[in-house]
Amino acid sequence: MGIFDFLFGKKETETLPQAKETKDMSMFCYQCEQAANGGCSVVGVCGKQPDVAALQDLLIYSLKGIAFWANKAREAGKKDQEIDRFMIDGLFATVTNVDFDANEISKLVNEAVRLRGKAKALAGDVDGEIPQAAQDWALPASIDEQVKLGELHGVKDYSVDDDIHSVREIITYGIKGYAAYADHAKILGSESDEIYAFTHKALAAQLDDSLDLMANVNLALEAGKINYATMELLNKAHTDAYGHPEPTPVQLGTKAGKAILVSGHDLKFLEELLKQTEGTGVNIYTHGEMLPAHGYPGLKKYAHLVGNFGGAWQDQHKEFQQFPGAIIFNTNCIQKPAESYKDRLFTWGLVQWPGVKHVDGWDFSEVIKKAQECDGFEDAPGQEILTGFGHNAILGVADKVIEAVKGGAIKHFFLVGGCDGAKPGRNYYTEFVEQAPADTVILTLACGKFRFNKMDLGDIGGIPRLLDVGQCNDAYSAIQVAVALANAFECEVNDLPLSMVLSWYEQKAVAILLTLLYLGIKDIKIGPSLPAFITPNVLNFLVENYNIGPISTAEEDLKQILGA
């Protein structure tokens, strides 16, 4: 626990919140799996610069201050939509690979300070000590001074023991993760007061040092409950707008014509772009987590949604140079762009990169114009892969699945999914799927599937052995399948012939893991490495109560799971 050597500062009111001096005022971030040496301290592996890291730390600190007052206001029966929505946006902006623009993060910090005042006025007089983050500290006007202030309130800045701090970090990252899903749902017109209320309560609790370890653990499990509710909300928003996903072949080759590549998660964004490009001669390709969009009837009806180009986010430097059209990001996963494609790259929503054109609102005419100026593709048909195996599609053939299990044709189910990344060790997931016996079925979701989704694993009695459930938020669908199977076999989910082998990269994976723990699911294997923000004692708690463990080798893990 040597990384936790930075002490929290003074509690009294000051012009600026101050922390004790530290020997190292450089950045420190360990929220993603690729964090270098237990935490990025010079520059982020993701490309995040120290000034952006400090401003994001200051934004989280400011959001905790808002949360204190918003939670007090809610206890008095008062709430404010502007505050609620901003909390979600502010949290999502700090997720890995979303906003790399210091100027834009500074704007969010300024807005947070304004809304802290609004939340305080809404709450009125309160009893007891006011935490430092919720006090009326002044925000410097210059970004340089804001950066200095943010350096005082990073993840090393805490006053509790290491284990409580570790659980607080887990809660924060879980909340950041479900904030991304809540943002997508909000864009589709779906919101939940339950989500807003818990967000305020949980962030405010991080300012309360009287809460013991188990109180924080219970909040972490509650964060899992709220993520489950958020994924359910988003699932309903998606299916209400576009219908239930259905098994659909997706072309990996190219079609003659101008082209736009869409990377991210937001389906409403894709729909609007499809509407505006209809009849223009511009074809739309998905990238990364947008692949499952092809399974939705309301989206695949557009004939110019022609295929998927490329794989997971970490390969974009190579793949984007080969794409002869415009490229646009609508959620997290952006990397520092190469000069070879930077002039045809766009961002939208909360995604920002310095020097990259940002599209505000829903007018994509500039993106379309850029695509029409580019060379475009020639016809080059390629492999087809299947997507669209949401819970509605799988449960539609549940009788066949149940019969195959009872008859011994299907011996085991594996959920092999999660985030992909560039760090060594992720070939494990490819090897695991390759070595899984022919009488097993692989459920997969999120961008981790790009490690193996081009494999032909065949079928079992007409049931494909590889079922692409969808995006990371479609963990909700996978859970519904597990629950339905458990009901059919009159047993608990943990008693099913089902094993979860997960890969993580960023905060949405943390949120999903908390959901699985909240649901009491055990024996989860996770990799390629364990989070740096989990202390040994917290890890021991997870092992003892949930039998969660790190991956080893594909061969050994398969032997252990199947009892071979």
Side-chain angles (χ1 to χ4, degrees):
M1 300 176 222
I3 62 172
F4 303 119
D5 56 3
F6 190 67
L7 301 176
F8 196 67
K10 301 176 182 178
K11 297 285 185 178
E12 67 269 16
T13 303
E14 304 176 37
T15 304
L16 298 179
Q18 298 293 319
K20 290 185 179 180
E21 292 184 359
T22 175
K23 295 179 181 178
D24 180 14
M25 294 301 292
S26 61
M27 71 175 283
F28 184 83
C29 180
Y30 58 4
Q31 70 177 5
C32 86
E33 190 269 336
Q34 294 186 177
N37 302 316
C40 296
S41 58
V42 178
V43 65
V45 172
C46 65
K48 182 164 61 176
Q49 298 299 308
D51 59 344
V52 174
L55 290 168
Q56 289 186 347
D57 287 341
L58 184 57
L59 177 56
I60 292 296
Y61 183 78
S62 304
L63 292 175
K64 290 177 181 178
I66 296 174
F68 173 84
W69 295 112
N71 188 54
K72 292 291 186 183
R74 281 180 170 271
E75 289 174 352
K78 303 174 184 177
K79 56 187 178 181
D80 183 272
Q81 186 181 68
E82 183 184 29
I83 292 171
D84 292 342
R85 289 177 169 177
F86 178 79
M87 291 291 287
I88 295 300
D89 288 347
L91 288 161
F92 187 14
T94 69
V95 169
T96 304
N97 290 42
V98 176
D99 195 333
F100 292 83
D101 193 317
N103 290 319
E104 295 303 319
I105 297 294
S106 174
K107 291 177 184 178
L108 290 172
V109 175
N110 276 274
E111 184 68 356
V113 171
R114 180 184 75 82
L115 290 176
R116 183 192 65 206
K118 186 177 184 181
K120 180 181 179 182
L122 188 67
D125 295 332
V126 300
D127 296 327
E129 182 180 0
I130 307 302
Q132 186 187 41
Q135 293 173 16
D136 293 328
W137 50 267
L139 181 68
S142 77
I143 290 182
D144 288 345
E145 290 300 314
Q146 291 175 15
V147 168
K148 291 178 182 178
L149 183 56
E151 289 175 334
L152 303 177
H153 296 286
V155 297
K156 291 185 178 182
D157 176 16
Y158 62 95
S159 58
V160 292
D161 72 40
D162 290 349
D163 296 326
I164 292 177
H165 180 67
S166 176
V167 179
R168 282 182 174 180
E169 290 294 282
I170 293 169
I171 294 168
T172 298
Y173 302 144
I175 292 173
K176 286 186 180 188
Y178 76 60
Y181 302 144
D183 181 71
H184 301 321
K186 174 167 60 74
I187 289 171
L188 280 165
S190 295
E191 299 178 68
S192 166
D193 200 56
E194 179 186 25
I195 296 169
Y196 293 139
F198 175 79
T199 303
H200 299 313
K201 181 182 82 169
L203 287 180
Q206 300 210 5
L207 304 176
D208 185 356
D209 290 350
S210 71
L211 296 178
D212 64 13
L213 180 59
M214 285 311 301
N216 281 279
V217 168
N218 288 334
L219 277 172
L221 294 176
E222 191 173 356
K225 174 186 176 182
I226 297 303
N227 180 60
Y228 185 69
T230 309
M231 291 193 299
E232 182 178 27
L233 180 76
L234 180 55
N235 179 269
K236 187 175 187 304
H238 282 165
T239 55
D240 284 352
Y242 309 116
H244 282 280
E246 52 194 30
T248 303
V250 181
Q251 174 61 233
L252 301 184
T254 62
K255 183 177 180 179
K258 307 295 185 177
I260 296 175
L261 183 62
V262 180
S263 187
H265 302 72
D266 198 276
L267 300 189
K268 176 65 173 176
F269 168 93
L270 179 61
E271 179 190 29
E272 291 301 318
L273 183 62
L274 286 167
K275 287 179 180 178
Q276 293 180 37
T277 50
E278 197 166 24
T280 65
V282 175
N283 293 320
I284 306 298
Y285 295 81
T286 57
H287 173 264
E289 284 269 61
M290 290 304 295
L291 168 63
H294 292 269
Y296 288 90
L299 296 174
K300 70 177 185 176
K301 69 181 183 182
Y302 292 92
H304 62 299
L305 178 61
V306 296
N308 187 80
F309 182 90
W313 65 272
Q314 76 274 2
D315 294 327
Q316 63 192 257
H317 276 158
K318 175 182 66 177
E319 293 172 348
F320 287 4
Q321 294 184 57
Q322 301 166 359
F323 188 83
I327 305 162
I328 185 163
F329 279 91
N330 60 77
T331 57
N332 62 308
C333 295
I334 194 171
Q335 285 184 305
K336 181 180 179 179
E339 291 300 322
S340 60
Y341 60 81
K342 188 175 181 180
D343 67 322
R344 47 193 175 85
L345 183 65
F346 298 82
T347 59
W348 178 86
L350 290 169
V351 186
Q352 302 267 15
W353 191 282
V356 170
K357 177 67 177 179
H358 187 74
V359 177
D360 290 312
W362 297 95
D363 181 0
F364 300 116
S365 56
E366 191 171 355
V367 183
I368 298 168
K369 181 174 181 292
K370 175 59 69 174
Q372 290 171 329
E373 293 171 353
C374 294
D375 293 338
F377 279 115
E378 295 181 357
D379 267 323
Q383 180 184 356
E384 287 189 337
I385 58 174
L386 286 172
T387 190
F389 291 96
H391 65 278
N392 193 65
I394 295 176
L395 296 181
V397 293
D399 55 339
K400 293 182 181 179
V401 174
I402 293 167
E403 181 182 348
V405 174
K406 288 182 176 179
I410 295 177
K411 292 291 200 320
H412 207 88
F413 296 90
F414 293 107
L415 175 59
V416 186
C419 315
D420 204 359
K423 195 173 181 179
R426 291 180 180 269
N427 58 315
Y428 164 93
Y429 299 95
T430 308
E431 294 167 1
F432 190 97
V433 172
E434 284 177 332
Q435 296 178 30
D439 55 5
T440 63
V441 172
I442 310 293
L443 302 171
T444 189
L445 49 79
C447 62
K449 63 174 163 274
F450 284 102
R451 293 274 168 176
F452 47 79
N453 68 340
K454 297 180 183 66
M455 294 182 188
D456 182 4
L457 299 183
D459 64 88
I460 299 175
I463 302 167
R465 285 192 58 228
L466 180 60
L467 302 175
D468 180 3
V469 180
Q471 297 181 340
C472 52
N473 51 277
D474 290 313
Y476 173 80
S477 269
I479 292 169
Q480 299 314 301
V481 172
V483 170
L485 288 174
N487 290 336
F489 289 104
E490 299 181 344
C491 67
E492 299 296 322
V493 170
N494 288 318
D495 297 323
L496 288 171
L498 168 67
S499 300
M500 299 192 180
V501 184
L502 308 179
S503 56
W504 82 284
Y505 172 68
E506 43 91 322
Q507 296 78 69
K508 287 181 282 187
V510 177
I512 292 169
L513 179 60
L514 290 177
T515 292
L516 297 176
L517 299 181
Y518 157 72
L519 294 171
I521 294 174
K522 299 182 179 182
D523 302 319
I524 301 167
K525 292 190 179 297
I526 189 167
S529 62
L530 295 177
F533 47 81
I534 292 184
T535 60
N537 286 337
V538 173
L539 179 59
N540 287 340
F541 174 86
L542 295 174
V543 172
E544 291 172 4
N545 289 275
Y546 299 96
N547 198 32
I548 191 170
I551 60 173
S552 58
T553 66
E555 183 178 12
E556 288 302 315
D557 286 347
L558 280 165
K559 284 182 180 179
Q560 184 265 316
I561 292 169
L562 299 175

